[in-house]
C-alpha cells in the first residue's frame, strides 16, 4: 500500500483525500459540532454569569439577598479567573484525568469535550456580557422601568437583546477561536480534525500534505462561520430601510378590511 | 380626596447636595400642571421621584391617598399607572415602533397581543406615527421618536402622564409637532405634569403652573397669574430672561 504513494505533492494530496477523505470530514464534523454547541452553551453560561455580575448590591437590599449575591459573585469570579488564567489543553487533561482519579468518574469523550470548551467560552463571555450590558444607555433601563417592567423583565426584553446584539462580534470571535482550539482536545483522545489529520500524517509520513488539507478545512470552517454570523447580525438589525405602513396596507394586514373590489376589478 | 397625586414635603439629597428641599403640591384628576424653572432647579429630579426612578430621601408621595413610599408598595404596578415621557425619548432600540408600543401592555399588563396592537395603532394614528410602525428608533427623526414615545406611554393607559422637557432635545422645526400632540392630550382632560421651557405652550395648555428655584417651589398658581402678574421677583426675573432670549 505504502509503495503506491505518488511522488508529487498534488498527487499525494489526491491520494490522501481518496483514501482518508471521510476521516477528515468526520474530524471536521466533530470539530464543528463541538465548537458550535460549546459556543452556544458558553454564551448561555456567559449571560448567566455576566448578568449576575452586573446586578448591583444596594444598601436597601434585604440581608439574605446581599449575602447570596456576594457568594454568587465570589464563586463566579473564581470560575472566571481560573478558566481564563490556565491553558485549555492543561484544563482538558486536568479535568479528564482528575475526574477519573478523584471522582472515579469516567467521562465520555464527547461529554468531556463539550464540558471543557463550554466552560472556557463561558469564562471569556462573562466579562464580555457584563461589558455589553454596561455599555447600554441607562435611558433604556429607565424607559423599561417607567412602563412598569420589573428589573427582570427589563433585563429580558430590553437589556439582554441589546447586549446580545452589541457582543455579536465577540461571539463570532469566540466561535472562530473554538473551531481552532478544539484541536487541543486531541490530548484527551477526541478525534477532531487535527487528531484525524495527524493520524493520517503518521501513517504515511506525509505531514505537509496532511496539514495542508487540515489548514484548508479549518480555514473553510472559520470563514464560513464569520460570514454566517455577519448575516445574523444584519438580521438582528432589522431591515436597513423600513417600509412605510400606509393606512391601507395596515388595515389589510390587521384584518380590518378585505381587499376592495375596486382593486380586484382593475 | 379628588387628588390623584399629593406630594408632601418631598426631599431628595444626592450625597450632601440637597436637590429637592421641601416640595408640596397636589394634582387633581384632569389637572395639567406645568413645572418651570432654571436648569438645575430640580425639575427632572422631582418627576423622577414621582416615578420612583429616584428614591426620595424625605417627605411622602401619595397616589390616591396611598403612600407609594410605604413598604410593600408594588412599584412596577404603580409605575404602569404613571406614564413617563423623557427628554431623550428612551425608545427601546431593539424594537420597531409598534413593538415599542405593545411590549408593556403584553408583558406587563398581560393584554392579548391582538388587542394591544389594536390599541397601540389607535394611539400611533393619533400622534401621526401609524405609517412608521416598522421603523426602528434610530431610523426616525427626533420629533418622530418623541411622538412614538408618547404613544408608548399612552398604551399602558396611565392615570397620570409625566413629561420631562419633551421638546428640549429636538431641532426647532420639530418642536411644534410634539407640542401639538401634547396639547391635544391636554384638551382631552388627561392628567399631566409637564416640565418645559416652552413658556407660551405652558401658558396655553396648563391650568396650574409651578415655578421652581433651588429645590423649592418659589411660586405657583394659575397660568394667567404666573405669566401675567407674578408676585415674586425671581419669577419675574426668570420669565424676563425667557422673553428676551
Ligand atoms: N444622580 C445624581 N447625582 C448627583 N446629582 C444629581 C443627580 N441627578 C441630578 N443631580 C443634580 O441635581 C440638580 C438638579 O438636577 P435636575 O433635577 O436635573 O434639574 P433640572 O431638571 O431642573 O434641570 C443638579 O444640580 C444636578 O447636578
Ligand atoms: Mg431636567
Amino acid at each position: 500500500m505504502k509503495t503506491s504513494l505518488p511522488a508529487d505533492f498534488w498527487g499525494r494530496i489526491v491520494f490522501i483525500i481518496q483514501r482518508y477523505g471521510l476521516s477528515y470530514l468526520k474530524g471536521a464534523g466533530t470539530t464543528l459540532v463541538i465548537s458550535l454547541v460549546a459556543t452556544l452553551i458558553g454564551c448561555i453560561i456567559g449571560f448567566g454569569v455576566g448578568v449576575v455580575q452586573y446586578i448591583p448590591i444596594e444598601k436597601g437590599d434585604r440581608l439574605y439577598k446581599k449575602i447570596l449575591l456576594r457568594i454568587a459573585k465570589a464563586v463566579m469570579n473564581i470560575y472566571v479567573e481560573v478558566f481564563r488564567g490556565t491553558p485549555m489543553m492543561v484544563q482538558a487533561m486536568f479535568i479528564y484525568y482528575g475526574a477519573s482519579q478523584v471522582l472515579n468518574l469516567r467521562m465520555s469523550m464527547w461529554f468531556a469535550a463539550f464540558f471543557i470548551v463550554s466552560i472556557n467560552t463561558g469564562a471569556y463571555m462573562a466579562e464580555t456580557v457584563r461589558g455589553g450590558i454596561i455599555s447600554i444607555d441607562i435611558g433604556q433601563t429607565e424607559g423599561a422601568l417607567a412602563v412598569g417592567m420589573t428589573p427582570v423583565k427589563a433585563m429580558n426584553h430590553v437589556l439582554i437583546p441589546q447586549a446580545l446584539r452589541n457582543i455579536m462580534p465577540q461571539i463570532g470571535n469566540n466561535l472562530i477561536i473554538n473551531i481552532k482550539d478544539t484541536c487541543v482536545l486531541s490530548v484527551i483522545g477526541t478525534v477532531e480534525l487535527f487528531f484525524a489529520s495527524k493520524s493520517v500524517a503518521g501513517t504515511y509520513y506525509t505531514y505537509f500534505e496532511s496539514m495542508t488539507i487540515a489548514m484548508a478545512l479549518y480555514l473553510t470552517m472559520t470563514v464560513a462561520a464569520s460570514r454566517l454570523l455577519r448575516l445574523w447580525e444584519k438580521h438582528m438589525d432589522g431591515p436597513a430601510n423600513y417600509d412605510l405602513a400606509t393606512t391601507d396596507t395596515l388595515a389589510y394586514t390587521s384584518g380590518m378590511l378585505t381587499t376592495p373590489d375596486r382593486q380586484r376589478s382593475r | 380626596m379628588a387628588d390623584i397625586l399629593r406630594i408632601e414635603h418631598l426631599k431628595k439629597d444626592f450625597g450632601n447636595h440637597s436637590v429637592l428641599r421641601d416640595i408640596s403640591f397636589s394634582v387633581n384628576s384632569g389637572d395639567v400642571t406645568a413645572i418651570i424653572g432654571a436648569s438645575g432647579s430640580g425639575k427632572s429630579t422631582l418627576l423622577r421621584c414621582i416615578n420612583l426612578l429616584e428614591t426620595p430621601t424625605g417627605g411622602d408621595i401619595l397616589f390616591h391617598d396611598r403612600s407609594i413610599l410605604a413598604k410593600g408598595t408594588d412599584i412596577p404596578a404603580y409605575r404602569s399607572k404613571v406614564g413617563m415621557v423623557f427628554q431623550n425619548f428612551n425608545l427601546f432600540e431593539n424594537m420597531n415602533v409598534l413593538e415599542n408600543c405593545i411590549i408593556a401592555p403584553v408583558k406587563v399588563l398581560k393584554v392579548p397581543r391582538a388587542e394591544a396592537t389594536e390599541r397601540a395603532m389607535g394611539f400611533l394614528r393619533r400622534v401621526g406615527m401609524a405609517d412608521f410602525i416598522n421603523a426602528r428608533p434610530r431610523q426616525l427623526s427626533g420629533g418622530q421618536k418623541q411622538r412614538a414615545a408618547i404613544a408608548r406611554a399612552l398604551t399602558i393607559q396611565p392615570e397620570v402622564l409625566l413629561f420631562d422637557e419633551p421638546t428640549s432635545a429636538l431641532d426647532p422645526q420639530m418642536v411644534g409637532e410634539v407640542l401639538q400632540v401634547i396639547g391635544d392630550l391636554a384638551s382631552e382632560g388627561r392628567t399631566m405634569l409637564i416640565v418645559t421651557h416652552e413658556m407660551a405652550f405652558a401658558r396655553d395648555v396648563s391650568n396650574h403652573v409651578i415655578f421652581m428655584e433651588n429645590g423649592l417651589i418659589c411660586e405657583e398658581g394659575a397660568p394667567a397669574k404666573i405669566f401675567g402678574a407674578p408676585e415674586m421677583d425671581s419669577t419675574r426675573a426668570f420669565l424676563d430672561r425667557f422673553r428676551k432670549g
Side-chain angles (χ1 to χ4, degrees), chain A residues 10 26 53 55 81 102 108 134 140 152 179 198 215 240 244 246 253 259 264:
Chain A
W10 291 111
K26 269 191 187 158
Q53 298 289 31
I55 301 172
E81 293 298 345
V102 181
S108 80
I134 288 176
Q140 295 290 306
V152 172
I179 290 174
K198 220 171 52 171
M215 289 282 281
L244 275 186
T246 60
T253 51
T259 319
R264 239 180 269 145

Side-chain angles (χ1 to χ4, degrees), chain A residues 140 142 157 162 237 240 245, chain B residues 48 79 91 94 131 138-139:
Chain A
Q140 295 290 306
E142 294 188 344
H157 300 303
Q162 291 187 31
D237 288 341
Chain B
R48 292 167 59 80
R79 286 201 185 109
L91 287 170
N94 55 320
D131 288 354
R138 67 187 140 76
Q139 297 168 318

Side-chain angles (χ1 to χ4, degrees), chain A residues 137-151 153 157-159 161-162 235-247 250 254 256, chain B residues 48 51 53 76-77 79-80 82-84 86 90-95 103-104 107-108 110 121 125 130-136 138-140 144 152 156:
Chain A
D137 186 85
I138 183 72
Q140 295 290 306
T141 308
E142 294 188 344
L145 296 178
V147 292
M149 289 191 203
T150 58
K153 281 181 183 154
H157 300 303
V158 178
L159 295 183
Q162 291 187 31
H235 172 77
M236 288 174 89
D237 288 341
N241 302 298
Y242 54 87
D243 292 324
L244 275 186
T246 60
T247 330
L250 255 182
S254 65
M256 290 192 295
Chain B
R48 292 167 59 80
N51 207 12
L53 288 175
R79 286 201 185 109
S80 69
V82 180
M84 177 107 173
F86 298 88
N90 295 348
L91 287 170
F92 305 132
E93 299 286 341
N94 55 320
M95 303 174 200
I103 184 88
K107 299 292 179 188
V108 176
K110 309 291 178 198
M121 285 312 306
R125 255 180 234 119
D131 288 354
F132 298 93
I133 53 172
N134 297 321
R136 294 274 179 120
R138 67 187 140 76
Q139 297 168 318
L140 298 173
Q144 292 170 331
R152 178 179 72 177
I156 56 172

Side-chain angles (χ1 to χ4, degrees), chain B residues 39-40 42-45 87 164-165 195 197:
Chain B
S39 220
K43 307 179 300 293
S44 295
T45 306
Q87 186 172 342
D164 188 6
E165 297 196 33
V195 171
H197 290 301

Side-chain angles (χ1 to χ4, degrees), chain B residues 43-226:
Chain B
K43 307 179 300 293
S44 295
T45 306
L46 173 59
L47 284 201
R48 292 167 59 80
C49 280
I50 293 175
N51 207 12
L52 294 180
L53 288 175
E54 303 287 354
T55 311
T57 34
D60 208 350
I61 299 171
L62 304 173
F63 184 66
H64 290 296
D65 292 326
R66 275 266 237 335
S67 170
I68 55 161
L69 301 179
K71 258 205 177 120
T73 304
D74 184 348
I75 294 175
Y78 162 71
R79 286 201 185 109
S80 69
K81 292 176 189 145
V82 180
M84 177 107 173
V85 175
F86 298 88
Q87 186 172 342
N88 294 315
F89 330 118
N90 295 348
L91 287 170
F92 305 132
E93 299 286 341
N94 55 320
M95 303 174 200
N96 67 26
V97 167
L98 183 62
E99 289 160 347
N100 260 280
C101 291
I102 62 176
I103 184 88
V106 171
K107 299 292 179 188
V108 176
L109 305 175
K110 309 291 178 198
V111 177
R113 185 168 287 268
E115 194 185 324
T117 305
E118 201 172 305
R119 196 198 284 175
M121 285 312 306
F123 289 124
L124 285 164
R125 255 180 234 119
R126 287 255 307 277
V127 301
M129 287 297 291
D131 288 354
F132 298 93
I133 53 172
N134 297 321
R136 294 274 179 120
R138 67 187 140 76
Q139 297 168 318
L140 298 173
S141 74
Q144 292 170 331
K145 281 190 224 184
Q146 196 59 298
R147 285 184 282 139
I150 291 171
R152 178 179 72 177
L154 292 171
T155 56
I156 56 172
Q157 302 190 313
E159 294 178 43
V160 185
L161 271 171
L162 311 175
F163 292 86
D164 188 6
E165 297 196 33
T167 59
S168 294
L170 301 181
D171 291 335
Q173 70 270 26
M174 292 170 185
V175 170
E177 65 191 61
V178 172
L179 293 185
Q180 173 79 46
V181 166
I182 301 173
D184 288 349
L185 294 173
S187 58
E188 288 174 4
R190 284 182 184 273
T191 312
M192 322 203 285
L193 270 84
I194 309 171
V195 171
T196 183
H197 290 301
E198 300 289 333
M199 295 305 154
F201 171 73
R203 184 176 45 206
D204 291 344
V205 302
S206 72
N207 64 336
H208 190 77
V209 181
I210 291 176
F211 169 61
M212 281 181 66
E213 192 179 49
N214 295 325
L216 290 169
I217 294 180
C218 175
E219 183 169 359
E220 64 181 313
K225 178 201 152 208
I226 300 290

